Amino acid sequence: MEEYLGLRNSLDVEIQAYITSLVSALGGRGADEDGRYVLGDDAIACLKDIRRWLRLYDEKTNRLDVARCLAEANVVKGDLLEILSLWREDTQNDRYLAKLALACLELLVPLTWPLDKSDDQMTVNHHRHMPYLQDAQIWYKQEILQHEQAKILRTVIRIGLPSMAVPLSERSNRDHGIIKLILYFIRNLAIISLPPNLQGTEDESQVSRAATIEAFHYQDIFHLLLTIGSGIKEDFDQEDMVVLEILYHILKGVDPDRLFQSDHQKEHRKADELEALLKKEAAMVRSYTKNRPTRHSRFGTMIWIKRGNDRVSTVCGQDVLRDDYRGLAKMDESKKWKKPKSGRKKAEDRKNDADVNVTLTRSAEKHLRLFVAEFLDSAFNPLFFHAHRAIEREEDRVLRGHSRQFFYLVSWFLKADRARRKAARESRRPSNDADADADSSPFALIASVLTQEVFITLNRFMQTSYDEHEWQDLKSGMRCFTQILLTVQEMSESALEDDQSIAENILSRLFYEETTHERIVGIVRYYNNQDFGYLDACTELAHVHLRVLEAYSKQNVEMQVRARRSIRKRKKKAVETTTTNNETEKDVHQAADVEGVERDDDDTARAEQTSVERRFDFTRFATKFMKQGCIDTFVAFTRYYQELNPEQLKRTHRFFYRVAFKSELSVMLYRVDIIQLLNKMIKGPESLDMHSHEGKQWEELVRQLFKKMIRIIEKRPQMIVELLFSKIPGTVHFLEHGFVKQTTTSRKPRVPAELEIKPGVEEDRHIGIVVVVLQQQNQHDALQWVKKVLMDAFNERYQLEAEHAVRLAEGGDESASVFECPPIDVKPDNQARREAMFKNNKLRLLMTLVGFERIGTNEDTEAKWIIPSSISTEDLQKAHKAIEVAETTPPIFEEGQKAEDFIRRKPTPRVLRRGQFDDESEGDDDFIVIGGRDGDGNGDDGDGLEAEEEGGLFPPDAPSRKRKSDALEEIKRKRRSRQQKEADGGGEVLTETELDEKRKARLEANRKKLLKIKSDLFVHESDDEENEQRDQDFFAKEEERRRKQGFKVLEALEKGVIVLGDNDDEGEEDDGEDGENGRQRGATGSKKRKSKSTKGTTTSKIASRKRRKGSSSSSQMLLDEDEDDDGMAVNLDGSNASSPAAVPQQKQLSEMFDTPQEQSKPGSSSSEQMARKKSGESASVPVNLVGDEDEDEEEEDVIPVRRRRLIGPFVEDDDDSDE
């Protein structure tokens, strides 16, 4: 035991010796120095050694031994503060003392650092030393705030003045570190407070919140905070979070309303509090006088309390002798199970618990009020704007609890700003000069926290805290949201139109998201025994939110909210079809598969839009608070009625009034425990003051509730049983009004799938198959009804035909020879039959097979069925007989087959939607029908894709636009290929299992194929990326294509014939000509010309073809041989080859044909050029399109040739395009 109880034995002796020697070497007081503190020879080195011990031993080993040794050595009061006091203001330029002061500050910060350790982080060393160190920190704070010789805090500020004077862009890391050390030291002093077990001691007044505020005021800490807060963007950048922590620990628990009250209001409030205390004391005296102790009161007491049925209960204690109420109350308390209290409250929760009210002295309130007013005027907007941006960006300096502190401070300052404006209005003068200057915009001082960005951050913070059960964080978020609503409501009541418009805009943004409303309802509804502060915050939020939302919805009748809608998932089941038609299991799977195909596009559209705007109905929203969970939350809050202030009592009173009378759901409050609580509030010994305004309101409310309850019990005595239980939504309306609420559904019935008999089944067996299916589903009444309708129609039609035959026999009117029976309406015999005629697809198939026709659209539930005039009496009799035969002798099927195997869903065309973001899609190109499906999901869609394929997120690439003839040929080719494979396989027939496996494999392959399809159908940034290999391949293909085209042109020029419209060329057709594809356009009558040049070059003449006007049969045109008078060479377009204008045209043409423009080599003939072309030497083949002889020599006339145009792979004449 000595090892654990002896504190001195728990420390390492060697470590204690080292620390003690270092502390002794720092300095001390000497008798020869008149009691003044004298520094040691190497005080700076000693301070650095102590700092190394703290860092390398305590921090590295997670122990507190060095801090404990320093506390026992009294290093803070005896040395550090004395060294700081030596650096007086008149010695500001003493560099040695400045270094000593900075070294002392580096030790004070870790020694005053908060000791926050969770239970899982605590070790035996921590349990030994933390209580002692917590008391030591209180001593440190007391000595720092109340030092006799110097203002320590002011001295600490002087340490950082040189660093603060340096511009932000020129500060070094050391300057930033010094500023942070000062702020952390101030933060530590603000956090240090007396533990709960030491509250009320004599040391409390010296380290209380009031003492801290007064010290901060007199030692210019408030001025430092105002300076940093107002210049947080220009002069300071990393200090926002530390300043927020200091403000939080100074302001938490302080009532802003009381802070800004005038002296007269404070005196009046104190008088009211004194009066309430005197009344409470008088009640206690009366109770004591009535039940004063006697000489027998010291004895124990046990009594019996008689109950119904001659039963008794035993109660102990003399207090039950006073009256029956106390005896029954004690008996009730003995029945209640008291949940054992959990362990001690977490240290972090105690430190951040802002619900504990703090009482300040008058001077402290005055100083704090001045600081808050100046902070609102100059530093609030810059600091909170910068802090919110840091929280939003998740900067490294933002810690876990900073968001909670941020939103708590926002709520506190918003409430303080409203209290300040209220005080200014009551005094009829501006609260300060800044308010007078900002009179035109009184809400401009808090504009930084009324932005959409802050609202988004707040909603996300509240949702995250609610999901992670961080109740303290959620409580701060709720208080912030409440104060924002109250501030915006006050802004809407402003006399300035700008403030009203801004408030309207803010409220529309706050109330636009339906998730915000649902979150508030969930917080109130699912309250689960959190602390009183959380209960107060959530009830206040619900009260304010309902009140502000109700006023806003009345002003904006067409209010819209964005409701979140979950993405619809494709479900492969047919529940409705199964329940109405009693389909077999196989039918269900088939229906689900085809249904999934039909809804592919709809599901994609729903995936792209998950929210929708709708009109807001406040009455409907208010009913969500009328659930039993929300009522229980307010009942739990009302149980604290003796501790609630008038505003809180009013809050619960308004909620119960809304439930009972506005929503007419008073039955929700008729429960035994709620009735007992309400009766206790107005009639019990601990009731409210019935002379106060709140007491009178509660008394009237309870009286009306009980009066209404008695009337309901008299009408419906079963309500007495319901008093024992909570109410469920299904019975609330009946209990309240005495009848079941009538509800109507406006949902349209689902259109059933159309069925048909599979191809290949004999026609005379169609009706029998459907009859067997209906018999298996126990729908005999439907068969009898169909037979009855057929027989009635037969009799009616037979009578009409007989009458017609009589008229013909009598030789009446000639028009009687032309007779057509009118259609007969098919009328259902009851309402169930009417619904079955729309929903039962098997019955509809039978009606269709016997000749009935449906008039109307598929979605029309009231569409009529008729028997058309084309159905004769023989057809009706035949159909009636077929049904009777099928009932008596059902058709026989092959082994393993059933009647439902021959029924399938009618094939529907599959529609592919092109890319929704393709701007080039117009008209009917947006939808392309590419195939159909039968009931089994089989069929060919032209691309081999199954309709029930569930592909990737994006649709496959749009199919190429093929001509109908080409698509038909492709389908026929695939069909012939399959037939050939079946013929080669010897006619082997696959089993059902093999076909199913093959189908599944095909579906899986297509699914993997579609999953590879990315978003290349849409425009994205990667389209602009460069790909050298892709570019090289593209240009190589273009080069090869141009080279081949050049060869074709050369060959055509040699032969004198140009072939246009080849069958192999991608389906291009010759415009303006009829006849078969691949028609040749030739030129005849080309004339060879000898050259008189000495070079002997032979060139081929260019033949041009003219389309003769009026020629109807010939496809070849003869070219006239016109002579050129000038004897000059002419290009293809008729221009002079030697003219400057002809050179670019000739160059362009040669480039288009991929041929060089150089002249033919001497002695090379056209036959040699063709030989080179065939041998692959296309790059070196000189092409001379126009003969280039010497101008001085005599030449034969050159035929002017029209320039050809290159359209795709063809060469077309200019004249051809004009026709």
Side-chain angles (χ1 to χ4, degrees), residues 1070-1073 1081 1105-1109 1117 1215-1217 1219:
D1070 191 10
D1071 296 336
E1073 289 192 29
R1081 295 183 182 179
R1105 176 171 54 89
K1106 289 186 179 179
R1107 184 177 289 108
R1108 293 184 177 180
K1109 307 296 181 179
M1117 301 297 176
D1215 292 341
D1216 295 340
S1217 61
E1219 294 181 2

Side-chain angles (χ1 to χ4, degrees), residues 7-21 53 57 65 69:
L7 298 178
R8 311 237 2 132
N9 296 334
S10 63
L11 296 174
D12 191 347
V13 179
E14 186 176 358
I15 295 175
Q16 191 174 7
Y18 274 114
I19 299 301
T20 304
S21 62
W53 272 101
Y57 188 82
D65 294 343
C69 293

Side-chain angles (χ1 to χ4, degrees), residues 1124 1128-1147 1159 1184-1189 1191 1195 1198:
D1124 193 299
M1128 300 176 64
V1130 182
N1131 283 328
L1132 291 179
D1133 58 351
S1135 61
N1136 192 349
S1138 61
S1139 63
V1143 177
Q1145 297 177 358
Q1146 183 177 354
K1147 182 179 180 181
Q1159 301 293 336
N1184 191 3
L1185 297 178
V1186 180
D1188 188 11
E1189 279 87 11
E1191 296 181 1
E1195 329 182 305
V1198 179

Side-chain angles (χ1 to χ4, degrees), residues 51-204:
R51 186 183 61 184
R52 292 192 188 99
W53 272 101
L54 283 171
R55 181 183 302 171
L56 299 178
Y57 188 82
D58 278 8
E59 295 180 7
K60 296 292 184 181
T61 60
N62 193 23
R63 296 173 66 88
L64 299 174
D65 294 343
V66 177
R68 174 66 181 273
C69 293
L70 293 174
E72 292 181 351
N74 197 18
V75 68
V76 174
K77 179 181 179 181
D79 295 285
L80 299 182
L81 299 183
E82 296 296 333
I83 294 175
L84 287 174
S85 63
L86 294 177
W87 191 34
R88 297 184 300 272
E89 294 185 4
D90 53 356
T91 60
Q92 178 69 28
N93 297 327
D94 193 338
R95 297 177 59 86
Y96 180 71
L97 291 177
K99 290 183 179 180
L100 280 174
L102 179 59
C104 292
L105 180 62
E106 291 176 346
L107 280 179
L108 286 173
V109 171
L111 290 177
T112 58
W113 200 269
L115 299 173
D116 295 333
K117 298 289 184 181
S118 59
D119 294 339
D120 56 344
Q121 295 176 345
M122 294 285 288
T123 62
V124 176
N125 183 271
H126 295 153
H127 283 290
R128 287 175 180 172
H129 301 313
M130 280 187 65
Y132 185 87
L133 291 178
Q134 288 175 351
D135 293 340
Q137 287 184 348
I138 296 175
W139 303 336
Y140 299 160
K141 181 176 181 179
Q142 179 179 348
E143 294 299 330
I144 292 171
L145 297 180
Q146 308 295 335
H147 197 270
E148 298 177 354
Q149 298 181 4
K151 296 179 179 180
I152 301 300
L153 295 178
R154 187 177 178 85
T155 304
V156 170
I157 294 175
R158 286 164 48 207
I159 296 174
L161 289 179
S163 300
M164 296 179 189
V166 179
L168 179 61
S169 59
E170 300 177 4
R171 285 180 194 163
S172 61
N173 293 334
R174 183 175 181 275
D175 295 332
H176 287 291
I178 292 173
I179 297 174
K180 287 184 179 180
L181 276 176
I182 296 171
L183 294 176
Y184 279 128
F185 178 65
I186 298 172
R187 189 276 312 266
N188 296 344
L189 293 180
I191 292 176
I192 295 174
S193 60
L194 285 174
N197 56 349
L198 295 179
Q199 296 289 340
T201 60
E202 59 181 6
D203 297 333
E204 182 182 3

